[in-house]
Amino acid sequence: MTNFIILLLFISSFQFSISNRKQNHYDQKQFEEIIEILKIKFTDELEELISTNYNIEHHNDNPKQSENYESEVDSNDHVDIKLWNKLNEKDMKKMPVIDDYSDEAMAMQWLTWYIPIEQRHSQITTLLNWNYETNITEENQAAMTAQNLIRSPFTRLTLPIAKKFNEHMKYSKDDDLKRIFGRLASGIVSFNDDDVKRASKLHGQLEDIYSTTKVCELNDNKKCYTLSPYIERLMQIEKDYDRLLWAWKGWHDGCGNKIRSVYLPYIDLLNKNVKENGYHDLAESWITDYEMGSVVEFEGIIDQILKDIMPLYEQLHAYVRGRLCSKYPNRFDCNGPIPAHILGNMWAQMWNDRLDDVIPYPDTPLVNITDVLIKKQFSIDQMYTTAESFFTSIGLYPMTSKFWARSMFRKPTDRDVVCHASASDMGYHDDYRVKICTEINDDYFYTIHHEMGHVEYYMAYSENQPYVYRGGANSGFHEAIGDTIGMFAISPVHLIKLGFLQEEAVNSHYEINFLLRLALQKVAFLPFSYVMDKYRFLLFRNEIDREHELNSKWWALRIQHGGIMPAASRNDEVNFDAGAKYH
Ligand SMILES: [Zn+2]
């Protein structure tokens, strides 16, 4: 606290002393010192200053963890939405007067005003999203919309200013100013409250449809299942061709068709919004985030990567198709694309759950992690502590008390939630969480490591970076961190350490089997993810005829780039299979 006051005094005296000077006339060393202090101190000290005694209402999903950790976690230590909004309202009025956008000291002064307000907004938004995704109700949806309406005027005020500063700061010799304003200026704001309300509502509907859609038994429409956990698992372990077809068709018809009427107006709205902000379309705004050159350059790089991987993918595809053709004779053309429902995954995006059917050396099967977990009577909690000890064993961070006390580790039985696994940086003190409807099996063993990988990355940059730099290098990089770690977690070396696998069992055949398993998971994924964005970019650019090829275009791309075809006949007037995938 004392440090913070000293810092404030330091900043204001600095601001006072430079207020009438022009660019570059101030003491460069003093300026650098301020930036340094801002980096290290500003955010945390500010948070300390505004911590309060507000009581959070959070669901107790973690009985075991709560026993151990609730006493360690101060229940008052959290974002206080009402107070944060009040502070923001007050601080908004104190924006420094700007008379020269080329003045670097003025730019700094403006940032010291801007950052705390922006940070509080971001903390509130993250918390409200968490509340909605872990408890889908109209009330929580309304709270998000209301907050978006509160936040919009601030962004409408500050974005044009950030852009004006950026026009000068992009030539600055100070890398921090250049970087910070470059990022701020690429932001997006909606200038119309009705659009804000509509976008928020449509987004909520997408989450709702995806999380609550059920697939019912053909002969019993009272027996119905949500995607997670039943249908999702069925796609992984069921071998019966027709049963798989039932689940695939049920989910794609049930979810995709409903999503269609929400997703299209939603992206139209987002597209309109980014255009108002100077982007050509939504695709350009997404690509800008990667900072990998122009749209053409970026897409060129990605096209080349896919091209490079294709010879390997084609071999993998041909091998798997041959084996599945023998397993399901006369079900599909053995020289054509593979039907999407027999690859061990609802979207045919990863094929590793089909390893048993295509294994090159059946005499040396890979250890069945699901069996080991069950045999060792692993609890869900143990799956998490095992993952945590993997991270600490390689010198990374243990999870925080708040992680254990506030995460959602199980699918609740009393309410609807978004089960799509995710990790959240609440942006406040050491509050990091995951939301996973965990089941005890090998896929969740992997997912837990992946999501915890995100948390490790959050912790690394929160500890070492100021607020403005707390984010992934780009959205793809965050996933790469999680996945690299997930891959090591299932490696034979690590499984031996855990006592899941006997060292003697690992020979050259075992290694080949393991490498194929990795290829089924990782190589198979590349054309899928490529098509996902390729298709969306076409849609954003209005290059798909929505009446006649909305669905068939999706499948044309999947056949062209991945050799995967729909499991059943599709109809362009009602189906929207791309919408049956979360993201
Ligand atoms: Zn991820």
Side-chain angles (χ1 to χ4, degrees), residues 443-469:
D443 283 284
Y444 279 101
F445 187 75
Y446 185 92
T447 303
I448 290 169
H449 284 81
H450 173 97
E451 299 303 339
M452 247 185 214
H454 285 305
V455 174
E456 291 289 342
Y457 192 20
Y458 296 148
M459 289 200 268
Y461 57 64
S462 295
E463 188 179 279
N464 300 306
Q465 298 293 334
Y467 169 70
V468 281
Y469 292 156

Side-chain angles (χ1 to χ4, degrees), residues 4-174:
F4 181 70
I5 293 169
I6 293 169
L7 175 70
L8 274 186
L9 288 173
F10 185 37
I11 292 173
S12 33
S13 67
F14 171 75
Q15 285 165 353
F16 179 74
S17 69
I18 56 159
S19 58
N20 287 321
R21 295 188 213 164
K22 281 285 167 195
Q23 189 185 5
N24 293 336
H25 285 201
Y26 53 85
D27 178 348
Q28 182 64 28
K29 196 162 167 283
Q30 193 184 21
F31 183 66
E32 280 165 13
E33 273 169 14
I34 289 230
I35 290 193
E36 214 34 59
I37 292 169
L38 276 176
K39 275 190 193 171
I40 302 162
K41 284 284 171 203
F42 193 67
T43 308
D44 292 338
E45 299 291 347
L46 178 95
E47 283 161 1
E48 204 177 293
L49 187 75
I50 53 184
S51 67
T52 67
N53 293 318
Y54 184 78
N55 271 319
I56 194 168
E57 199 184 302
H58 85 260
H59 299 275
N60 185 356
D61 290 313
N62 316 315
K64 181 165 178 283
Q65 278 83 15
S66 298
E67 264 172 44
N68 300 335
Y69 290 96
E70 205 131 81
S71 54
E72 289 177 32
V73 174
D74 178 357
S75 62
N76 297 321
D77 186 11
H78 61 80
V79 169
D80 179 333
I81 297 175
K82 267 189 201 156
L83 179 68
W84 263 230
N85 276 329
K86 212 187 260 172
L87 287 168
N88 279 351
E89 203 186 328
K90 214 173 83 200
D91 286 353
M92 275 259 291
K93 294 174 188 149
K94 297 182 195 157
M95 187 173 85
V97 179
I98 306 159
D99 49 26
D100 182 358
Y101 287 94
S102 69
D103 184 340
E104 297 197 351
M106 187 159 276
M108 273 304 299
Q109 192 189 349
W110 187 79
L111 281 179
T112 57
W113 165 82
Y114 168 84
I115 290 171
I117 304 176
E118 173 56 25
Q119 188 175 9
R120 283 190 291 248
H121 274 307
S122 150
Q123 289 167 339
I124 296 172
T125 303
T126 309
L127 179 60
L128 289 175
N129 280 344
W130 171 271
N131 289 348
Y132 179 71
E133 291 190 348
T134 56
N135 187 12
I136 302 176
T137 62
E138 274 178 31
E139 203 184 347
N140 284 339
Q141 161 69 52
M144 285 195 299
T145 308
Q147 188 60 35
N148 286 340
L149 289 171
I150 293 174
R151 188 177 185 168
S152 290
F154 174 66
T155 319
R156 283 176 203 147
L157 169 72
T158 53
L159 185 59
I161 294 174
K163 284 183 176 176
K164 279 190 207 164
F165 271 123
N166 187 46
E167 282 311 305
H168 301 279
M169 297 308 141
K170 63 185 173 193
Y171 305 111
S172 171
K173 288 196 177 69
D174 186 286

Side-chain angles (χ1 to χ4, degrees), residues 263-300:
Y263 187 76
L264 296 178
Y266 179 61
I267 60 162
D268 287 344
L269 197 54
L270 296 188
N271 237 341
K272 175 184 160 227
N273 197 7
V274 295
K275 280 178 188 170
E276 286 166 356
N277 284 269
Y279 290 98
H280 192 265
D281 52 45
L282 197 50
E284 192 197 9
S285 116
W286 284 15
I287 289 170
T288 302
D289 178 63
Y290 284 85
E291 297 178 276
M292 283 167 64
S294 70
V295 167
V296 176
E297 285 165 329
F298 176 83
E299 289 187 89

Side-chain angles (χ1 to χ4, degrees), residues 420-423 450-451 454 475 478-480 482-483 583:
H420 186 85
S422 68
H450 173 97
E451 299 303 339
H454 285 305
S475 47
H478 232 295
E479 291 311 312
D483 257 18
H583 258 88

Side-chain angles (χ1 to χ4, degrees), residues 8 84 104 109 120 173 177 180 237 249 258 306 345 360 380 389 414 420 430 441 485 501 543 555 561 570 572:
L8 274 186
W84 263 230
E104 297 197 351
Q109 192 189 349
R120 283 190 291 248
K173 288 196 177 69
L177 282 177
I180 292 169
I237 57 174
K249 196 171 173 332
K258 270 187 270 168
L306 193 76
N345 176 278
I380 286 178
S389 54
D414 60 342
H420 186 85
D430 54 352
N441 64 45
I485 287 164
L501 172 65
E543 287 172 21
W555 288 110
H561 296 290
R570 311 307 287 151
D572 261 319

